[in-house]
Amino acid sequence: MADALSELLSTRDWLLADGATGTNLFNMGLNSGDNPELWNVERQDDIRELYRGPIEAGSDIFLTNTFGGNAGRLTLHQLQDRVEELNRAGAEIGRDLADRSGRKVIVAGSMGPTGEVMAPLGALTHDRAVEMFEEQAEGLKAGGVDVLWIETISAPEEYRAAAEAARRVGLPWCGTMSFDTAGRTMMGTTSADMTRIVGKMEAQPVAFGANCGVGASDLLRTVLGFVEAGAPLPVIAKGNAGIPKYVDGHIHYDGTPQVMADYAALARDCGARIIGGCCGTTPEHLVAMREALETRPRGDTPTLAQIEETLGGFSSAQDGTGDAADQPRRERRGRRRG
């Protein structure tokens, strides 16, 4: 039997994912250094408000407040013995709201990186990483998520470990990496590399792609890289709402709802089928994104120049996949999709 996300994808050309978790929690009073997952049990009304935002804005998918819910990250707050509890609680709140929404809304169990460096560069072994992700995934499964959502990963080894954990608990999964260093992840993976990695996986994700990173322009260049490399599965685009700036003691992202509406339409035209926001993206942005996806006709695949003109410049001259790292990627010509 097909999973809920695959079924929804089979009926739609695109799906709208949610926006930021951290940004919106900080807007609700979370302090720097506080543990967000603890709010799943101590401030459940606030977590309901967090989830209600994207649901009411029209998102088809929203992520649980469990990004740092693995033992590695929770150890920083002496909460490593509460992995199952905090993940299950975060998922249960989401499941309840999704079921009450009156439409099909996918609850995605967020699983971020462990915060440790994988062997051989670091001390984290494959088996230990799988164990940590599996423990978290079991809590999310118990809470009723539809799919596991592995996100903001930099190392292929950690991506594979999280995927193995998803397979062990018997849940479908999606996985995104963060490309923030001249078109590469922190550990050097390019969009073409990731496409090859996903294509060779025994237990493949429902969808794969990119989230966070530098800015929306860079993220769309990465999406084009997935498509050009022959993406075998639906592509995810979850870009930040502009560039972070320090304003009056707080981090502020400068992307307006109009900018994110432009980004959403361009992401669709680049080939993404699951489109959302990451850092800085609020429900107000999501409303504008949904309207753009519903009302703007599909266009040709945008060129890099068109992306730059609409969303601003790229952070680097190339996307890491050319023959020479210091050479700009060739310009893509627009072409009709669909």
Side-chain angles (χ1 to χ4, degrees):
M1 181 180 296
D3 63 90
L5 179 55
S6 294
E7 289 179 349
L8 197 56
L9 279 166
S10 71
T11 66
R12 299 267 302 279
D13 291 336
W14 54 265
L15 299 178
L16 180 67
D18 64 357
T21 296
T23 298
N24 291 305
L25 286 177
F26 284 127
N27 290 341
M28 295 163 63
L30 181 72
N31 294 315
S32 179
D34 288 351
N35 177 254
E37 288 76 25
L38 202 55
W39 280 31
N40 295 340
V41 294
E42 294 186 351
R43 297 183 60 168
Q44 293 192 342
D45 286 345
D46 288 315
I47 298 305
R48 288 189 182 91
E49 181 182 347
L50 174 73
Y51 295 163
R52 197 175 290 118
I55 292 174
E56 293 181 352
S59 292
D60 302 295
I61 305 164
F62 72 91
L63 276 57
T64 56
N65 176 43
T66 54
F67 176 83
N70 60 72
R73 295 287 289 270
L74 290 176
T75 297
L76 301 175
H77 304 274
Q78 291 75 53
L79 295 170
Q80 64 271 22
D81 295 330
R82 299 178 67 179
V83 171
E84 195 277 342
E85 173 198 4
L86 296 177
N87 283 277
R88 175 172 43 80
E92 286 176 343
I93 296 168
R95 180 78 273 153
D96 178 64
L97 288 173
D99 290 346
R100 293 171 181 266
S101 68
R103 60 187 177 89
K104 187 62 177 178
V105 179
I106 302 297
V107 183
S110 173
M111 296 171 57
T114 63
E116 302 181 26
V117 179
M118 295 282 295
L121 297 178
L124 182 61
T125 65
H126 174 79
D127 288 347
R128 177 54 182 153
V130 173
E131 182 182 353
M132 284 197 285
F133 284 125
E134 184 176 1
E135 181 183 27
Q136 181 180 16
E138 289 286 8
L140 293 167
K141 182 178 181 179
V145 299
D146 295 297
V147 61
L148 297 175
W149 195 279
I150 299 158
E151 57 173 332
T152 325
I153 304 296
S154 294
E157 297 83 2
E158 192 166 32
Y159 194 84
R160 292 188 184 98
E164 183 173 335
R167 181 189 61 79
R168 288 188 180 185
V169 302
L171 281 178
W173 65 284
C174 294
T176 60
M177 300 183 85
S178 182
F179 298 80
D180 52 13
T181 309
R184 298 173 180 263
T185 72
M186 189 190 317
M187 303 306 291
T189 302
T190 68
S191 56
D193 293 335
M194 187 182 185
T195 304
R196 285 191 293 269
I197 290 166
V198 168
K200 294 178 180 179
M201 282 184 157
E202 181 178 353
Q204 293 200 332
V206 175
F208 80 103
N211 78 296
C212 202
V214 180
S217 296
D218 284 47
L219 188 132
L220 292 189
R221 182 168 63 177
T222 297
V223 169
L224 288 174
F226 293 142
V227 174
E228 188 171 271
L233 298 164
V235 171
I236 300 165
K238 282 192 106 229
N240 293 340
I243 304 299
K245 298 180 179 179
Y246 198 68
V247 180
D248 296 329
H250 299 281
I251 297 296
H252 171 74
Y253 284 79
D254 62 5
T256 64
Q258 181 58 48
V259 167
M260 290 303 283
D262 293 339
Y263 147 79
L266 285 171
R268 177 200 59 195
D269 295 346
C270 285
R273 292 196 57 204
I274 297 177
I275 301 161
C278 203
C279 300
T281 309
T282 68
E284 184 180 6
H285 293 96
L286 294 172
V287 169
M289 291 164 66
R290 177 101 198 183
E291 182 180 10
L293 289 167
E294 289 181 334
T295 61
R296 298 188 192 183
R298 181 179 292 275
D300 294 342
T301 300
T303 64
L304 297 181
Q306 288 169 334
I307 292 172
E308 185 172 19
E309 180 181 359
T310 303
L311 300 178
F314 300 101
S315 66
S316 61
Q318 49 80 43
D319 66 358
T321 61
D323 294 333
D326 59 350
Q327 293 299 315
R329 189 74 181 271
R330 69 180 183 276
E331 182 69 341
R332 297 174 177 87
R333 295 181 180 179
R335 60 187 183 279
R336 174 66 63 182
R337 288 187 57 85

